[in-house]
Amino acid sequence: MFENRKYIIIGVFCLVGLVYLTRLFYLQILDDSYSLESSSNSIKRVIEVPVRGQIYDRNGKLIVYNTPVYDLYVTPRQVKIPDTLAFCRLMGITTNEFDSLMNLAKAYSSVKPSLFMRQLSKEDFARIQDALVDYRGFEPATSSMRTYPARTLANALGYVSEITKKQLDNQETMYYRQGDYIGHNGLEEQYEEQLRGKRGVRYIMQNVRGVFKGSWKDGEYDTLSVPGQNLYTGIDIEVQQYADSLMQNKVGSVVAIEPSTGQILVSVSAPTYDPNILSSRYFSKNYIKLIRNPYKPLINRPVMASYRPGSTFKLIQALVAQQQGTLFPNTVYSHAGAPVKCHGHPGSVNLYGAVQYSCNPYFYHVFRRLMYNNSETNTFKASAAGLEYWHDMVQKFGIGERLGVDLPSELKGKLPDVEYYDKVYGTRRWKFSTVYSLSIGEGELLISPLKMANVAAIIANRGYYYPPHYIKGFNKPGQGVPEQYRERQETGINPKYFEPVIVGMRAAVTNGTVMRMANLPDVELCGKTGTSQNKKGEDHSIFIGFAPAHNPKIAIAVFVENAGWGGVAAASVAALVTERYLKRRTDAKELEKFITEKNYMPAVVTSPPKPVVPPKKKDTTRKDSTRKPMLAKMAMVTPQGSAGN
């Protein structure tokens, strides 16, 4: 019995040993993966960075492409520089910059290559290529740089730059390495995953001096990189550049939308900048200059700026009130009993005339009836119920929430509700007299230019919209567009209620609040002007509209800060952009000259210099002296600062 047990134990040990020997044979003879890992001294793993996808406009014109450049990597432990000063002269850097770059490389790793200098042009690389042989530890790698031939759309496109430490640490899947490029802001960030492609890996053999000796195993373990997808946008680059030219010397925004699809045709944020300056190795210096610019060109005003919509908001009031049943096209209101003043049009008007002349008292009465649902009783209960209905209806126009545009920086804006006023004034401590400024688009309302362009698209469509978006497709138009941009959004307003509003909008352009010169032939622009109050300077000029009146092709919103009356600056820009899009040319040369010569840039107010207080002198007078030193009196006098805009 014991003899049999001994053989069983010996058999088990022999079986285990056989398993280990078999596994060892497989790993050392048959499987090359561990051999690959253990041969780091002779086999190098090279990451193949894919070509980033290009960006096109709606007509196939190139907006963004890649220019081949070279990056220079350094491995600190291998570095051998006979003459540091000569090396710095060759690279065009100072010795301090050299020390800083080397310290960063050593901090990352002394044995791994890290980025030393990026984006050397073909000419710069050709100049230093032969000399690099004398400097061990430096190795070039081909790369690419984003190039923007149209020099426009900077805020919407975003930029590509080195990944930040925070982004590296927050990766859900480990894809990026230190020194990799990644899209920041705009479409470059929004569609990063599609534009970047998929990187590949090559294994190459090299000798101890790093000289290339061919592919490992004839590329058996290599994986090919997959180029990024090309992005087609709805932008019309010709009209975009023209709108840019009209907004020179102005602060504001122009947003145009194709009503039938929701595609964004024009997206101007003024003042803007040449996107190429953030696509070079001088990125940091240029970025700091943009940050310090007092006009804040890095703000993407179409989706990030918030304004009171002014009289343009009256269009929504008219539609909501008609749907509620408290307003009809033939409803007439006089100026009597309204705390808001009008612009001087003759007599009482109906709905058509109220839109045409932008009558403040008319829409005060409209909003009052809406809030009380035709009741004359001025109670909190009526105000709260009316405001709740109004809020819910206005929200369906995309106000007070994100529209879902394909940019990472869209802000919600503000649409006040019952809860808001209860919090500000106390529960049941407010009534209609507290909120009537909403009737003319003032008060607590805050709306972005994109949202007002979308309102124009809703009216053009007679009651619905598609969420505004830049994308038209990946690799070809219509392919890969997210489903959310194909879903029709209803406002709940009966289409018949849009007709009297549109008639009034057309009359506003032909014989209303829009300056005569902006009524262009063969354009049939329907619009509404607005003048948004601005406590820090001149009022903001606003215009929203669409054209033509039937089967509209373009909806537009223009905001020009500090430009005053909406029927002048904003309406002029909108008319010219609309004409260029519909006719592909500009016939209104006089209007074009008028608006391009206008300069509405507000003066930059700098902080007053701090007063220079002279140092206190030692008091050598007797303690019982009543004489005060003259310097002490001077130190108490400070210059007054100038008032802000």
Side-chain angles (χ1 to χ4, degrees), residues 401-419:
E401 60 183 10
R402 292 182 178 87
L403 289 171
V405 65
D406 46 349
L407 290 179
S409 52
E410 184 188 7
L411 299 182
K412 290 177 62 175
K414 183 185 290 186
L415 178 63
D417 55 10
V418 173
E419 183 181 352

Side-chain angles (χ1 to χ4, degrees), residues 55 138 218 227 291 321 331 337 373 399 411 487 522 526 540 569 586 601 624 645:
I55 302 179
F138 292 91
D218 294 325
I291 288 178
T331 300
N373 195 13
I399 309 300
L411 299 182
E487 296 177 357
D522 304 324
C526 304
H540 302 321
T586 299
M601 298 292 281
D624 60 346
N645 280 343

Side-chain angles (χ1 to χ4, degrees), residues 136-271:
R136 286 183 53 188
F138 292 91
E139 180 181 10
T142 56
S143 181
S144 63
M145 179 178 72
R146 295 300 250 181
T147 304
Y148 306 86
R151 299 178 182 274
T152 184
L153 213 65
N155 300 87
L157 290 171
Y159 55 90
V160 176
S161 66
E162 187 175 345
I163 190 169
T164 65
K165 186 178 186 303
K166 184 178 180 181
Q167 289 173 316
L168 275 173
D169 296 339
N170 292 339
Q171 292 184 82
E172 293 183 5
T173 57
M174 297 303 293
Y175 179 86
Y176 299 98
R177 307 163 302 159
Q178 183 175 348
D180 281 350
Y181 295 94
I182 188 173
H184 293 269
N185 300 334
L187 297 174
E188 293 280 17
E189 179 178 333
Q190 183 74 24
Y191 295 116
E192 165 67 16
E193 188 173 344
Q194 293 87 352
L195 289 169
R196 76 186 182 192
K198 185 177 180 181
R199 60 165 49 112
V201 179
R202 284 191 305 119
Y203 294 96
I204 61 172
M205 294 184 296
Q206 60 184 17
N207 62 18
V208 292
R209 296 188 177 184
V211 178
F212 176 70
K213 291 296 182 180
S215 297
W216 166 259
K217 291 282 185 179
D218 294 325
E220 182 180 345
Y221 293 98
D222 295 354
T223 56
L224 296 175
S225 62
V226 179
Q229 300 180 58
N230 293 328
L231 172 63
Y232 283 80
T233 69
I235 293 292
D236 188 319
I237 199 64
E238 178 190 332
V239 183
Q240 171 74 27
Q241 289 174 312
Y242 181 65
D244 271 338
S245 69
L246 297 176
M247 291 297 288
Q248 290 292 315
N249 299 317
K250 300 168 187 68
V251 178
S253 177
V254 180
V255 181
I257 297 174
E258 185 178 55
S260 61
T261 63
Q263 291 176 13
I264 295 173
L265 304 169
V266 174
S267 180
V268 173
S269 180

Side-chain angles (χ1 to χ4, degrees), residues 628-645:
K628 295 182 179 179
M630 182 59 68
L631 287 176
K633 289 183 180 180
M634 293 174 60
M636 296 174 66
V637 179
T638 57
Q640 293 181 346
S642 57
N645 280 343

Side-chain angles (χ1 to χ4, degrees), residues 389-553:
Y389 172 83
W390 171 85
H391 176 274
D392 292 346
M393 292 298 292
V394 172
Q395 195 172 46
K396 292 179 181 179
F397 285 78
I399 309 300
E401 60 183 10
R402 292 182 178 87
L403 289 171
V405 65
D406 46 349
L407 290 179
S409 52
E410 184 188 7
L411 299 182
K412 290 177 62 175
K414 183 185 290 186
L415 178 63
D417 55 10
V418 173
E419 183 181 352
Y420 171 83
Y421 287 114
D422 281 347
K423 184 177 180 180
V424 173
Y425 296 99
T427 304
R428 297 181 179 272
R429 296 178 65 89
W430 60 273
K431 50 187 178 179
F432 178 75
S433 59
T434 312
V435 302
Y436 73 80
S437 59
L438 296 174
S439 65
I440 57 173
E442 296 295 339
E444 294 79 9
L445 276 170
L446 289 175
I447 301 178
S448 69
L450 176 69
K451 287 188 175 70
M452 291 313 298
N454 191 55
V455 169
I458 290 171
I459 298 173
N461 289 333
R462 278 68 170 173
Y464 67 89
Y465 70 95
Y466 294 95
H469 54 282
Y470 290 86
I471 184 175
K472 191 176 183 180
F474 284 114
N475 290 331
K476 66 178 182 179
Q479 179 174 289
V481 178
E483 191 61 32
Q484 68 194 73
Y485 299 130
R486 302 179 187 272
E487 296 177 357
R488 178 165 151 167
Q489 305 294 317
E490 300 288 348
T491 60
I493 305 291
N494 192 311
K496 68 180 182 180
Y497 296 135
F498 287 86
E499 295 310 320
V501 171
I502 292 171
V503 171
M505 292 174 70
R506 180 62 185 144
V509 176
T510 58
N511 190 30
T513 55
V514 174
M515 65 182 292
R516 288 180 180 270
M517 200 163 39
N519 179 25
L520 306 183
D522 304 324
V523 173
E524 200 183 3
L525 179 64
C526 304
K528 181 73 189 73
T529 59
T531 308
S532 179
Q533 295 177 5
N534 175 27
K535 294 180 180 180
K536 297 183 178 180
E538 291 292 328
D539 290 341
H540 302 321
S541 176
I542 307 174
F543 179 90
I544 71 169
F546 61 90
H550 302 283
N551 191 23
K553 303 297 183 184

